Amino acid sequence: MRKIVIAGNWKMFKTQAESQDFLTGFLPTLEETPPEREVVLCVPYTDLSILSKSLHGSLVQLGAQNVHWAESGAYTGEISGLMLEEIGVRYVIIGHSERRQFFGETDETVNLRLKAAQKYGLTPILCVGETKQQRDAQETESLIIGQLKQGLVDVDQTNLVIAYEPIWAIGTGDTCEAKEANRVIGVIRSQLTNPDVPIQYGGSVKPNNIDEIMAQPEIDGALVGGASLEAADFARIVNYLQ
Ligand code: 13P
């Protein structure tokens, strides 16, 4: 049985005070959520320790948005798996397209970060996906297969989540059609040695399209940006209808 994982990616949004306001609205709505759905919030570093306390005893797992491969060292601006694990972080997003595009993340550094996350018992959410240009040039499959091949060298596929996030669908309101996302996720699954790795779709997931997305047989969850910032919207997403 593949696990369902619905994760919010807050990116660089929400102060500590705002994160607490969000939880006041969001946590009560989880009473309706089927227990087999894993709900994760991947938040800015400054929110991690306060959320670690506020989420204690709730069904929500805590996630970070990156991790360095060293345990400690002279790496200004980075954070280690040891530090995340110590405060109760369980998931970490790795290789998000915004990291690849704006901060020079490569498949090689993604691979190092994936292995470091697993070393500290964190579950990495590996992001893959194509630009509009690559899609138009029919390069979607080859690009993604390349990202997986290089990213997953020596990575344990029993503790892994993958997110298919077409870059052209992120923050644009231009969702990838559910059937097409399902098809690409099938291609991703065909590249894995463990067919039970949960594979999410991400890119303009909203309350009004989550039911159709989750109805697709290959899609095991969602990685949600903008709509995870509003308690009511994210509640509707985690409580999608089957
Ligand atoms: P949006 O849901 O805002 O399109 O963002 C998707 C994303 O990048 C999640 O990681």
Side-chain angles (χ1 to χ4, degrees):
M1 257 295 267
R2 295 184 334 238
K3 199 162 151 181
I4 302 288
V5 184
I6 312 273
N9 174 10
W10 281 0
K11 307 190 179 183
M12 198 173 71
F13 291 99
K14 290 202 192 294
T15 62
Q16 291 194 349
E18 289 165 345
S19 74
Q20 297 308 288
D21 283 351
F22 173 93
L23 290 188
T24 306
F26 180 65
L27 288 181
T29 70
L30 292 174
E31 276 164 33
E32 300 155 31
T33 310
E36 66 276 10
R37 295 182 192 173
E38 180 99 305
V39 179
V40 183
L41 283 172
C42 299
V43 304
Y45 296 129
T46 49
D47 292 337
L48 284 174
S49 58
I50 191 166
L51 256 69
S52 163
K53 293 188 186 85
S54 318
L55 294 177
H56 192 74
S58 83
L59 290 174
V60 183
Q61 301 292 342
L62 190 57
Q65 298 173 14
N66 207 356
V67 63
H68 193 263
W69 50 89
E71 184 173 295
S72 60
Y75 300 106
T76 303
E78 293 282 336
I79 198 151
S80 80
L82 183 66
M83 295 165 180
L84 295 176
E85 184 259 303
E86 184 192 33
I87 57 166
V89 172
R90 301 287 300 280
Y91 284 83
V92 58
I93 296 172
I94 294 179
H96 191 281
S97 59
E98 288 151 14
R99 299 291 321 166
R100 296 178 190 256
Q101 201 178 339
F102 304 129
F103 302 99
E105 202 77 65
T106 65
D107 289 325
E108 289 69 33
T109 55
V110 164
N111 176 253
L112 291 171
R113 292 182 198 273
L114 285 167
K115 289 186 288 191
Q118 293 184 331
K119 181 174 167 198
Y120 292 99
L122 307 172
T123 301
I125 301 176
L126 165 63
C127 300
V128 297
E130 81 287 359
T131 61
K132 176 84 172 65
Q133 242 179 348
Q134 289 160 334
R135 172 159 284 263
D136 290 346
Q138 327 259 312
E139 290 167 5
T140 300
E141 285 80 358
S142 59
L143 183 274
I144 290 174
I145 290 169
Q147 288 179 325
L148 292 169
K149 274 219 165 76
Q150 296 175 64
L152 291 177
V153 174
D154 295 331
V155 168
D156 173 9
Q157 295 192 10
T158 64
N159 180 28
L160 176 68
V161 173
I162 294 176
Y164 169 51
E165 295 209 309
I167 295 169
W168 48 272
I170 295 177
T172 57
D174 192 9
T175 326
C176 181
E177 235 190 272
K179 282 201 165 49
E180 172 59 9
N182 187 68
R183 185 189 71 77
V184 177
I185 287 176
V187 172
I188 293 174
R189 200 176 305 287
S190 73
Q191 302 300 307
L192 303 177
T193 52
N194 174 14
D196 290 334
V197 171
I199 309 180
Q200 304 171 312
Y201 167 75
S204 296
V205 174
K206 304 288 175 202
N208 66 8
N209 58 26
I210 186 66
D211 298 342
E212 188 192 5
I213 290 166
M214 291 309 296
Q216 303 299 316
E218 293 288 352
I219 302 183
D220 306 319
L223 185 56
V224 186
S228 73
L229 296 170
E230 292 296 329
D233 287 352
F234 197 48
R236 175 61 183 83
I237 288 171
V238 304
N239 293 318
Y240 68 85
L241 306 176
Q242 279 175 309

